[in-house]
Amino acid sequence: SCKGEGMTWTGSQCCVPNEWTCGAGTIGGCDNQGESWTGTMCCAHEPKQCIAGMQSSCGKDCGNDLVSWSGSQCCVPQFWTCVAGTIGGCNGKDKFWTGTYCCAEKPMHCVGGLSSACQGHGSVFTGTKCCLPPPTTCVAGSMNGCDGKNQLWTGTYCCIDGTQQCYPSAASDCKGPSTSFTGSQCCVPEDFKCWYGSNCEQQGASRAGVNCCSQQM
């Protein structure tokens, strides 16, 4: 079996290029273009992530040339984001159903959510998860509190654009430049320096709960 281009047999092991992705499979299933069978594993000739799925969803007739079936796993591009979902929820543009998981066909940050809420901001709903383009920060909040232009209420979490640091807070204690109130937390950009203090405005800082926060220069 270990005789294809790029494969070397040592006498006890089959060696393949580092960029190949090898995982569980079968000799009968590992016969797609861009795949090689080592004798015990199916190797895709490029970086992939191989996850649970079904041949009926992920086989040669699935209609997506970026996907392959190893005989026991569904192999998809490494940059896709594959999470829990449903076959009905994972039906639409930029989504692929492996038979077990729903894959967003791009890097995404996924959290619990509802279809009715997971809309806009480039979001994708998998059937159980709400996925948003990174960078985004998703934390506890409320539907009424999570209403800023840079925010999305997923139905479960409040997601804010960018990488943020968040602190428990009332709305009245979330004030100043670059603050975002989620309904229960106050978030500021990750590169802000925060410290426990009072009279934040007098120090030219924003208030985030019991902390004063300001951009580091």
Side-chain angles (χ1 to χ4, degrees):
S1 297
C2 187
K3 297 178 180 178
E5 185 177 351
M7 306 172 81
T8 303
W9 177 249
T10 69
S12 62
Q13 290 184 311
C14 185
C15 298
V16 301
N18 279 333
E19 63 270 19
W20 287 16
T21 302
C22 300
T26 64
I27 188 171
C30 190
D31 62 351
N32 301 290
Q33 184 176 357
E35 289 181 339
S36 295
W37 178 247
T38 70
T40 56
M41 304 183 82
C42 183
C43 297
H45 296 179
E46 58 184 315
K48 294 254 187 167
Q49 53 176 318
C50 296
I51 56 177
M54 298 176 64
Q55 186 174 6
S56 57
S57 297
C58 201
K60 294 179 180 178
D61 298 327
C62 72
N64 194 317
D65 294 337
L66 298 177
V67 172
S68 60
W69 177 248
S70 74
S72 63
Q73 291 184 308
C74 184
C75 298
V76 302
Q78 200 170 47
F79 64 89
W80 285 13
T81 303
C82 301
V83 295
T86 64
I87 187 171
C90 195
N91 181 27
K93 185 180 179 183
D94 299 327
K95 293 185 282 188
F96 180 83
W97 177 247
T98 72
T100 305
Y101 292 103
C102 182
C103 299
E105 297 178 357
K106 60 182 73 174
M108 301 287 264
H109 178 70
C110 303
V111 296
L114 300 171
S115 175
S116 57
C118 185
Q119 299 181 22
H121 285 258
S123 61
V124 172
F125 188 66
T126 70
T128 59
K129 300 281 187 180
C130 184
C131 302
L132 294 103
T136 187
T137 302
C138 299
V139 296
S142 67
M143 180 174 65
N144 293 330
C146 187
D147 59 357
K149 290 183 179 180
N150 66 329
Q151 296 170 285
L152 175 72
W153 175 247
T154 71
T156 307
Y157 292 97
C158 182
C159 295
I160 307 106
D161 295 341
T163 306
Q164 307 275 325
Q165 51 182 316
C166 303
Y167 302 96
S169 176
S172 58
D173 290 325
C174 189
K175 296 180 178 180
S178 301
T179 57
S180 299
F181 184 63
T182 71
S184 64
Q185 298 195 45
C186 186
C187 301
V188 295
E190 187 181 51
D191 60 357
F192 272 38
K193 180 181 179 180
C194 296
W195 64 95
Y196 178 82
S198 58
N199 301 318
C200 300
E201 291 183 5
Q202 295 179 16
Q203 301 177 61
S206 299
R207 171 159 290 287
V210 298
N211 298 296
C212 295
C213 301
S214 65
Q215 189 171 15
Q216 298 186 69
M217 303 303 290

